[in-house]
Amino acid sequence: MSAEESRRQRRRLAAGIKDSLRAMNNQLSLLNHHVSMRIALKDVDLDCLDLIDRHGPISPSALARRAGLHPATMTGILDRLQRAGWITRDRDPEAGDRRAVAIRVLRDRGGEIYQLYAGMNTALDEILATYSASELTLVADFLQRTTNAGRTATDALSEA
Protein backbone atom coordinates (compact mmCIF):
# COMPACT_ATOMS: atom_id res chain seq x y z
CA MET A 1 0.00 0.00 0.00
CA SER A 2 1.34 3.41 -0.96
CA ALA A 3 1.76 6.23 1.53
CA GLU A 4 -1.15 8.10 -0.10
CA GLU A 5 -3.43 5.04 0.09
CA SER A 6 -2.45 4.61 3.73
CA ARG A 7 -3.35 8.25 4.47
CA ARG A 8 -6.70 7.88 2.71
CA GLN A 9 -7.46 4.69 4.62
CA ARG A 10 -6.53 6.38 7.90
CA ARG A 11 -8.82 9.36 7.09
CA ARG A 12 -11.70 6.97 6.25
CA LEU A 13 -11.16 5.05 9.48
CA ALA A 14 -10.99 8.25 11.54
CA ALA A 15 -14.17 9.55 9.89
CA GLY A 16 -15.87 6.22 10.61
CA ILE A 17 -14.87 6.40 14.28
CA LYS A 18 -16.16 9.96 14.59
CA ASP A 19 -19.42 8.93 12.92
CA SER A 20 -19.73 5.96 15.27
CA LEU A 21 -19.16 8.20 18.28
CA ARG A 22 -21.93 10.53 17.09
CA ALA A 23 -24.28 7.57 16.58
CA MET A 24 -23.38 6.17 20.02
CA ASN A 25 -23.96 9.57 21.61
CA ASN A 26 -27.39 9.79 19.99
CA GLN A 27 -28.35 6.29 21.04
CA LEU A 28 -27.20 6.78 24.63
CA SER A 29 -29.07 10.10 24.75
CA LEU A 30 -32.23 8.29 23.65
CA LEU A 31 -31.66 5.56 26.25
CA ASN A 32 -31.14 8.18 28.96
CA HIS A 33 -34.26 10.02 27.82
CA HIS A 34 -36.33 6.85 28.17
CA VAL A 35 -34.83 6.16 31.60
CA SER A 36 -35.66 9.74 32.62
CA MET A 37 -39.25 9.32 31.47
CA ARG A 38 -39.63 6.05 33.40
CA ILE A 39 -38.55 7.66 36.66
CA ALA A 40 -40.40 10.92 35.98
CA LEU A 41 -37.32 13.15 35.71
CA LYS A 42 -36.20 15.62 33.08
CA ASP A 43 -33.15 14.58 31.07
CA VAL A 44 -31.03 17.30 32.69
CA ASP A 45 -32.17 16.09 36.13
CA LEU A 46 -30.89 12.59 35.34
CA ASP A 47 -27.60 14.04 34.09
CA CYS A 48 -27.18 16.00 37.33
CA LEU A 49 -28.15 12.96 39.41
CA ASP A 50 -25.37 11.02 37.68
CA LEU A 51 -22.88 13.83 38.32
CA ILE A 52 -23.85 13.88 42.01
CA ASP A 53 -23.46 10.10 42.14
CA ARG A 54 -20.03 10.27 40.51
CA HIS A 55 -18.64 13.33 42.29
CA GLY A 56 -20.68 13.71 45.46
CA PRO A 57 -21.06 14.77 48.06
CA ILE A 58 -20.78 18.01 46.12
CA SER A 59 -21.80 21.62 46.65
CA PRO A 60 -24.52 23.11 44.46
CA SER A 61 -22.08 25.62 42.96
CA ALA A 62 -19.52 22.91 42.13
CA LEU A 63 -22.29 20.83 40.55
CA ALA A 64 -23.47 23.82 38.50
CA ARG A 65 -19.91 24.33 37.22
CA ARG A 66 -19.53 20.63 36.34
CA ALA A 67 -22.88 20.60 34.56
CA GLY A 68 -22.29 23.96 32.87
CA LEU A 69 -25.56 25.30 34.24
CA HIS A 70 -26.51 28.60 35.85
CA PRO A 71 -26.80 28.33 39.66
CA ALA A 72 -30.48 29.38 39.55
CA THR A 73 -31.19 26.57 37.08
CA MET A 74 -29.33 24.17 39.36
CA THR A 75 -31.52 25.19 42.31
CA GLY A 76 -34.63 24.13 40.39
CA ILE A 77 -33.07 20.82 39.41
CA LEU A 78 -31.99 20.10 42.98
CA ASP A 79 -35.45 21.00 44.28
CA ARG A 80 -37.02 18.48 41.85
CA LEU A 81 -34.50 15.76 42.71
CA GLN A 82 -35.01 16.29 46.43
CA ARG A 83 -38.83 16.33 46.18
CA ALA A 84 -38.69 13.07 44.20
CA GLY A 85 -36.49 11.45 46.87
CA TRP A 86 -33.30 11.07 44.81
CA ILE A 87 -30.96 13.36 46.77
CA THR A 88 -30.48 14.98 50.12
CA ARG A 89 -28.95 18.32 50.98
CA ASP A 90 -26.95 18.20 54.20
CA ARG A 91 -24.95 20.86 55.94
CA ASP A 92 -21.34 20.51 54.84
CA PRO A 93 -19.32 19.92 58.03
CA GLU A 94 -16.04 20.61 56.19
CA ALA A 95 -17.04 24.07 54.97
CA GLY A 96 -16.23 27.18 56.96
CA ASP A 97 -19.61 28.70 56.13
CA ARG A 98 -22.40 27.19 58.24
CA ARG A 99 -24.81 27.73 55.33
CA ALA A 100 -22.75 25.51 53.02
CA VAL A 101 -24.58 22.45 51.72
CA ALA A 102 -23.34 19.13 50.39
CA ILE A 103 -25.58 17.19 48.02
CA ARG A 104 -25.52 13.43 47.94
CA VAL A 105 -27.52 10.69 46.27
CA LEU A 106 -29.89 8.62 48.39
CA ARG A 107 -28.71 5.06 47.76
CA ASP A 108 -32.03 3.32 48.38
CA ARG A 109 -33.36 4.55 45.00
CA GLY A 110 -30.36 3.41 42.95
CA GLY A 111 -31.84 0.01 42.19
CA GLU A 112 -34.61 1.63 40.15
CA ILE A 113 -32.13 3.19 37.79
CA TYR A 114 -29.84 0.17 37.72
CA GLN A 115 -32.77 -2.01 36.63
CA LEU A 116 -33.57 0.34 33.74
CA TYR A 117 -29.98 0.13 32.49
CA ALA A 118 -29.72 -3.65 33.04
CA GLY A 119 -30.26 -4.49 29.36
CA MET A 120 -27.52 -2.13 28.25
CA ASN A 121 -25.15 -3.30 30.98
CA THR A 122 -25.69 -6.94 29.98
CA ALA A 123 -25.07 -6.10 26.32
CA LEU A 124 -21.86 -4.25 27.25
CA ASP A 125 -20.66 -7.19 29.33
CA GLU A 126 -21.21 -9.48 26.33
CA ILE A 127 -19.37 -7.12 23.97
CA LEU A 128 -16.46 -6.60 26.37
CA ALA A 129 -16.07 -10.36 26.85
CA THR A 130 -15.03 -10.63 23.19
CA TYR A 131 -11.92 -8.45 23.67
CA SER A 132 -8.51 -9.38 25.05
CA ALA A 133 -7.02 -7.57 28.02
CA SER A 134 -4.70 -5.57 25.74
CA GLU A 135 -7.61 -4.60 23.48
CA LEU A 136 -9.64 -3.52 26.51
CA THR A 137 -6.69 -1.41 27.66
CA LEU A 138 -6.62 0.30 24.25
CA VAL A 139 -10.40 0.89 24.24
CA ALA A 140 -10.32 2.22 27.82
CA ASP A 141 -7.50 4.61 26.91
CA PHE A 142 -9.37 5.83 23.82
CA LEU A 143 -12.57 6.41 25.79
CA GLN A 144 -10.74 8.25 28.59
CA ARG A 145 -8.90 10.47 26.14
CA THR A 146 -12.13 11.14 24.21
CA THR A 147 -13.91 12.03 27.46
CA ASN A 148 -11.10 14.43 28.36
CA ALA A 149 -11.28 16.03 24.91
CA GLY A 150 -15.04 16.45 25.35
CA ARG A 151 -14.55 18.02 28.78
CA THR A 152 -11.99 20.46 27.35
CA ALA A 153 -14.32 21.41 24.48
CA THR A 154 -17.24 21.84 26.92
CA ASP A 155 -15.17 24.01 29.25
CA ALA A 156 -14.08 26.19 26.32
CA LEU A 157 -17.69 26.70 25.22
CA SER A 158 -18.92 27.41 28.73
CA GLU A 159 -16.25 30.09 29.23
CA ALA A 160 -17.14 31.87 25.97
Side-chain angles (χ1 to χ4, degrees):
M1 178 181 297
S2 73
E4 182 57 33
E5 289 171 326
S6 179
R7 282 191 294 275
R8 275 196 298 263
Q9 180 184 26
R10 186 171 177 83
R11 282 193 304 269
R12 280 192 302 272
L13 288 169
I17 289 169
K18 289 176 183 178
D19 187 55
S20 291
L21 285 170
R22 287 181 66 200
M24 181 182 67
N25 179 59
N26 288 335
Q27 196 56 55
L28 291 176
S29 290
L30 290 170
L31 174 62
N32 289 339
H33 176 71
H34 285 281
V35 168
S36 293
M37 288 183 352
R38 290 280 180 100
I39 59 175
L41 291 177
K42 295 181 178 189
D43 293 358
V44 70
D45 297 356
L46 182 63
D47 292 340
C48 288
L49 184 62
D50 186 52
L51 287 171
I52 297 164
D53 187 46
R54 291 172 158 277
H55 304 287
I58 189 169
S59 72
S61 58
L63 179 60
R65 279 191 303 277
R66 274 199 182 273
L69 297 171
H70 189 277
T73 302
M74 185 56 60
T75 298
I77 292 168
L78 294 175
D79 287 346
R80 286 191 299 272
L81 289 172
Q82 188 170 23
R83 272 194 311 271
W86 291 102
I87 63 160
T88 184
R89 295 173 179 158
D90 300 317
R91 195 171 71 75
D92 187 351
E94 296 179 18
D97 185 347
R98 292 183 327 168
R99 297 170 295 170
V101 172
I103 306 157
R104 64 178 176 81
V105 171
L106 294 172
R107 296 284 171 216
D108 59 332
R109 301 279 314 265
E112 291 175 58
I113 294 176
Y114 182 80
Q115 199 58 27
L116 294 169
Y117 285 110
M120 183 63 179
N121 285 329
T122 298
L124 282 173
D125 288 341
E126 291 169 1
I127 293 166
L128 294 172
T130 67
Y131 291 95
S132 69
S134 62
E135 289 170 325
L136 289 173
T137 300
L138 179 67
V139 170
D141 176 65
F142 172 77
L143 291 173
Q144 184 61 52
R145 292 169 70 184
T146 302
T147 299
N148 291 341
R151 185 175 300 115
T152 299
T154 301
D155 289 348
L157 284 175
S158 68
E159 292 171 2

